[in-house]
Amino acid sequence: MNTMAKKRIEILFENDEILVVNKPVGISVTADRGGADDLLMLLTRQLSPAEPLRLVHRLDKETSGILLIARSRTAQSRYSRLFAKRMIQKLYLAIVRGPLPYRGGSIKDPIARSKRNPQAMHVHPRLGKPSHTVWKELADFGTLSLVAAQIVTGRTHQIRVHFAHRGMPLAIDPIYASAEPLMLSAYKSGYRPKIDKEEPPLIDRLTLHAYQLTIPVGPQEDAEMRTFTAPPDKKFVAAVKLLAKYKDKSAPGFHDQNDLLRILRSEQMEYPLKTETGQRLSRREKEAAYNRILVSEEQLEQTVRDLARRLNDSYPVNEPATAVVLLEGARRFAEDLLKHLVFTVEVRYLKASSYYGSTESSELVCIEDSEKTGGQIAGRNVLVIDDIYDTGRTLAHVLDWIRTRQPKSVKTCVLLEKRVRHEKQITIDFGGLEVDNAFVIGYGLDYDGKFRDLPFVAALPDDFEN
Ligand code: IMP
Ligand code: MG
C-alpha cells in the first residue's frame, strides 16, 4: 500500500485565493518522474477544489516546507507577479557543514544549468543568471551549523549551489555534497548503539526546509503582509535539538537561544536580509547627489530640533506616548528626533511597504507588523512618525489601521511634505519642511535601496529615473 497517498498535507492557511501548505519531503511539487502522486494531485484529492489548483513557485522534491498554491488563475498571476517583483520573502533553514568563516553573508554567484549533468546547476561567472542568497548563522555546533537563508532571486537549487560553492554545503545533499546520513555517534562522544542493532540515522534527507513565507493577503487594495511558518518534520527538529545538545564543547551552539525556541514552536524568525539599506554608492552617484541638495545637514538638524520642541510642548511629561515609526524611511529621522524628547515614549516600528524599486507609490500598501504593535495601541497616545507626505496613501492606510485599534489619540509627525496635490488629505500635526515635487533621497529616504545614508536630502539625479 502506498502510505504517502494516505498522508494528509498540512494546510497552514487558506482563503478564497490561496493555500499555504507544508510540503513533506519526497513529494514532487508537480509531475513526479517516478510516477508517484505529486503534491497538486494529493491536494486535489484532499480538498476537492472547485477550480484546478495552480503553482506559483516550487520546492525541490527533497526539500520540505512552506509552499504557496493558487486557487484560481487570477490568484496565480497576482502572486506570480509579486514573486517577480520580489515582494515575497522566504526563509529557509539549512544544516550545513561548518565551521563557517563568517556569521552571515550575501552570496551573489551567478548560477547556470550544468552542461555535463543536466540534473545539476553550477556557478558560472559568464553564463550564469544573477542569483542572490542572504544568510545568517543561527547556531554553530562545531562541524555543522544551522543557518537561516533568504533567497532574493529564486533559481533552481539556489541555496544548495550557493552554499556548496562557498564551502558550506548542506550536511546532506546527494547532488552537491554527500548523501551520507548524519549519525549521532559522530557527534555524541561515548555514544554506543544498542548491541545487535544498527544505529538509526539522526537525519537522512536533504537538510533544507522552507520555514517561513511573508506575503500580502487579502483584497489587493487592502492587503496585509502576513507571515506563515511551516513546522519542520520531527526528524529535522530532533536533529537540530540533538546537535545543540551534543555540540562540540568549544562551539557556541545557538547564538540566540530564542531562535531554537522559535523553531520548536514554529514561531516567526527574523529575516537575514534586513532591508535593502546600506548599498554602497559609486563616486559618480555621490557627486550627482551632492549637486542636487534640497535640504542641508544643518537645516535638517534645526528642523528636527524645532519639531522636538513642539512635541515637548504638546505632550505631558508623565503620560507615556507610543511612537510608531514607519520603516524603513523614517528610521533615521526618528532616531534623531527621539534624542530630543523629554516625555516618555515607547518606540514601535511598523513596516508599511508599497512596491519598491519604483518612484511612484503603488496602489498596494501593505503593513507588516512583526513587532505586534497593533496590540499596543488601544488607549494610548499614538504619534506616527514618517519621513515624507507624498500621495498620502501610506499614511492614510496606516492611520486607518491605527484608528481601528482604539488609541486614545493619534497625531502625525512628518519630516517632509512634497508640494503636490496629495491624493489623500492627511492632517500633519507636526510637520517639518516642504520640498519641491521631485523624488527625493537621503537622510533615510532611498531610491531602490540606495542613498539612504546621505546626511542631507537631495533630488534624485535625473539619470536614475526610469
Ligand atoms: P505616499 O505616496 O505619501 O504614500 O508615500 C509613501 C512612502 O513612499 C513614504 O513614506 C516614503 O517612504 C516613500 N516616498 C514617497 N516619496 C518619496 C521620495 O520622494 N523619495 C523617497 N521615498 C519617497
Ligand atoms: Mg515611508
Side-chain angles (χ1 to χ4, degrees):
M1 194 178 66
N2 185 350
T3 51
M4 269 302 178
K6 290 257 175 256
K7 219 163 144 193
R8 288 183 73 78
I9 307 291
E10 186 183 2
I11 313 286
L12 302 163
F13 172 80
E14 63 182 306
N15 66 9
D16 296 344
E17 277 194 300
I18 52 168
L19 292 171
V20 180
V21 306
N22 190 0
K23 185 187 92 60
V25 138
I27 293 180
S28 293
V29 162
T30 182
D32 188 279
R33 255 184 280 125
D37 287 348
D38 65 52
L39 186 73
L40 288 188
M41 289 163 77
L42 293 172
L43 280 169
T44 304
R45 208 171 303 147
Q46 185 173 321
L47 302 167
S48 313
E51 267 194 71
L53 299 173
R54 291 159 206 275
L55 289 176
V56 180
H57 62 128
R58 284 154 198 276
L59 282 180
D60 296 343
K61 182 174 176 180
E62 300 312 325
T63 305
S64 54
I66 202 153
L67 191 81
L68 172 71
I69 286 166
R71 302 187 96 148
S72 67
R73 199 182 287 281
T74 327
Q76 183 185 37
S77 59
R78 174 183 179 194
Y79 283 93
S80 301
R81 232 179 310 124
L82 290 166
F83 266 101
K85 290 202 169 190
R86 296 177 191 168
M87 280 287 290
I88 285 175
Q89 286 179 290
K90 238 171 119 186
L91 179 145
Y92 289 75
L93 296 176
I95 303 171
V96 302
R97 305 228 169 245
L100 307 180
Y102 310 105
R103 282 278 282 274
S106 172
I107 306 174
K108 287 191 168 170
D109 307 325
I111 293 176
R113 192 165 288 281
S114 161
K115 289 229 167 70
R116 249 175 288 147
N117 176 2
Q119 249 70 275
M121 309 295 289
H122 65 174
V123 168
H124 197 296
R126 201 165 36 82
L127 301 177
K129 291 187 188 159
S131 310
H132 189 188
T133 305
V134 182
W135 64 277
K136 97 179 156 189
E137 184 182 71
L138 300 175
D140 172 0
F141 306 124
T143 50
L144 296 172
S145 289
L146 179 71
V147 303
Q150 195 177 344
I151 53 172
V152 181
T153 55
R155 308 290 172 213
T156 307
H157 297 176
Q158 181 174 318
I159 291 176
R160 301 167 65 181
V161 171
H162 269 171
F163 283 1
H165 191 70
R166 293 303 178 102
M168 46 184 281
L170 296 188
I172 305 174
D173 186 337
I175 301 184
Y176 303 103
S178 160
E180 289 298 307
L182 296 185
M183 309 301 273
L184 189 55
S185 55
Y187 303 96
K188 182 179 175 182
S189 53
Y191 177 91
R192 298 259 179 292
K194 298 223 175 68
I195 302 165
D196 294 339
K197 266 214 186 137
E198 231 183 285
E199 180 188 346
L202 188 54
I203 186 167
D204 56 1
R205 49 159 284 198
L206 193 76
T207 49
L208 183 64
H209 175 76
Y211 182 75
Q212 178 171 309
L213 179 74
T214 302
I215 50 171
V217 172
Q220 228 158 124
E221 60 289 356
D222 192 27
E224 200 180 339
M225 274 302 201
R226 300 245 338 234
T227 297
F228 303 102
T229 56
D233 56 43
K234 283 202 189 92
K235 274 246 166 122
F236 196 100
V237 173
V240 170
K241 272 206 282 200
L242 288 167
L243 289 170
K245 189 162 174 198
Y246 297 111
K247 67 181 176 62
D248 288 0
K249 288 279 172 300
S250 57
F254 272 87
H255 299 301
D256 179 352
Q257 284 301 319
N258 290 320
D259 281 336
L260 175 59
L261 292 177
R262 285 187 192 108
I263 295 169
L264 297 179
R265 297 175 186 151
S266 316
E267 288 172 0
Q268 188 176 333
M269 308 276 296
E270 200 184 300
Y271 284 102
L273 180 65
K274 282 284 201 288
T275 55
E276 72 286 22
T277 48
Q279 282 191 41
R280 278 275 209 74
L281 294 184
S282 70
R283 193 166 148 196
R284 191 188 60 82
E285 288 166 340
K286 240 187 207 161
E287 279 171 3
Y290 269 92
N291 285 329
R292 307 200 55 178
I293 295 183
L294 297 176
V295 189
S296 71
E297 210 175 333
E298 294 73 30
Q299 276 173 296
L300 283 168
E301 250 180 57
Q302 194 51 53
T303 307
V304 169
R305 262 179 226 280
D306 289 346
L307 281 171
R309 194 178 31 74
R310 288 166 55 198
L311 287 163
N312 286 333
D313 289 346
S314 315
Y315 282 84
V317 183
N318 42 17
E319 190 180 344
T322 302
V324 174
V325 180
L326 301 190
L327 296 179
E328 193 52 49
R331 192 196 284 277
R332 167 94 180 254
F333 163 52
E335 274 168 8
D336 287 347
L337 182 72
L338 292 163
K339 278 187 241 164
H340 299 292
L341 298 184
V342 294
F343 55 98
T344 320
V345 214
E346 194 182 303
V347 187
R348 298 267 165 183
Y349 294 90
L350 197 64
K351 190 159 180 188
S353 48
S354 345
Y355 287 115
Y356 50 74
S358 143
T359 49
E360 260 179 69
S361 19
S362 77
E363 72 287 6
L364 181 66
V365 179
C366 288
I367 291 182
E368 191 180 330
D369 185 14
S370 55
E371 293 189 356
K372 300 204 166 50
T373 302
Q376 307 294 319
I377 282 172
R380 310 285 306 237
N381 292 314
V382 176
L383 178 67
V384 179
I385 302 181
D386 201 8
D387 49 6
I388 189 163
Y389 174 22
D390 184 1
T391 66
R393 286 191 213 120
T394 312
L395 270 171
H397 192 77
V398 168
L399 289 170
D400 280 349
W401 188 89
I402 288 175
R403 287 198 181 107
T404 57
R405 286 164 174 79
Q406 265 98 47
K408 186 169 164 196
S409 70
V410 193
K411 296 237 154 101
T412 51
C413 175
V414 180
L415 177 67
L416 303 170
E417 176 170 344
K418 257 190 219 180
R419 275 187 211 104
V420 288
R421 247 195 48 235
H422 310 293
E423 205 174 292
K424 303 265 180 185
Q425 290 308 315
I426 311 279
T427 307
I428 307 292
D429 302 287
F430 305 91
L433 297 165
E434 281 201 335
V435 286
D436 284 338
N437 183 15
F439 194 83
V440 297
I441 48 165
Y443 198 63
L445 291 147
D446 75 307
Y447 172 70
D448 205 11
K450 283 190 164 163
F451 303 106
R452 276 196 212 285
D453 295 340
L454 296 174
F456 50 78
V457 171
L460 183 70
D462 288 331
D463 43 346
F464 282 92
E465 302 271 9
N466 56 6

